[in-house]
Amino acid sequence: QVQLVESGGGSVQAGGSLRLSCAVSGFTSRSYCMNWFRQAPGKQREAVAGINSVGSTTYADSVKGRFAISQDSVKNVLYLQMNSLQPEDTAMYYCAARGGYEHNCLLYAMAYWGKGTLVTISS
């Protein structure tokens, strides 16, 4: 059974940083995409960062240069380092995964999802 569990959310002031973690278990595909999504109240879910099994990363324009996705393949943990946070980054953040190789992971539907971690940025 595949499980994804996010952690690291919280409340910070604008300009601050947070690092989100996603612990992955039961996912055995050697080729994969792993993404971070976010959904703010009243808005559609947005894919913000993705990483594939060869380490290629892609980002939404809204976070490019501020967020960095990475993975620890030994610990099976996905990370999202978020810097220069702004109030518009306030959202529930989710990690998700799918099997199979894709160059741009942000373009594809995910098969497995975590339950999310809340990030709140105050001005």
Side-chain angles (χ1 to χ4, degrees), residues 71-119:
Q71 59 187 342
D72 184 327
S73 299
V74 175
K75 296 181 180 179
N76 291 328
V77 180
L78 181 71
Y79 299 102
L80 185 68
Q81 177 67 43
M82 305 186 296
N83 300 324
S84 301
L85 285 161
Q86 300 300 316
E88 52 266 33
D89 295 316
T90 294
M92 186 72 80
Y93 283 72
Y94 302 89
C95 63
R98 64 172 280 152
Y101 174 80
E102 307 294 351
H103 180 67
N104 184 347
C105 291
L106 299 188
L107 300 179
Y108 297 91
M110 297 288 112
Y112 307 101
W113 291 83
K115 294 184 178 181
T117 186
L118 182 62
V119 171

Side-chain angles (χ1 to χ4, degrees), residues 19-86:
R19 188 175 81 156
L20 305 183
S21 300
C22 173
V24 182
S25 60
F27 184 70
T28 59
S29 180
R30 289 193 166 193
S31 297
Y32 57 80
C33 278
M34 291 194 180
N35 290 359
W36 285 98
F37 293 78
R38 67 185 181 187
Q39 187 165 20
K43 294 190 176 181
Q44 285 192 326
R45 186 172 61 202
E46 174 188 21
V48 297
I51 187 166
N52 65 17
S53 44
V54 298
S56 295
T57 58
T58 48
Y59 297 92
D61 288 343
S62 58
V63 305
K64 203 171 291 184
R66 300 188 299 122
F67 289 13
I69 188 171
S70 62
Q71 59 187 342
D72 184 327
S73 299
V74 175
K75 296 181 180 179
N76 291 328
V77 180
L78 181 71
Y79 299 102
L80 185 68
Q81 177 67 43
M82 305 186 296
N83 300 324
S84 301
L85 285 161
Q86 300 300 316

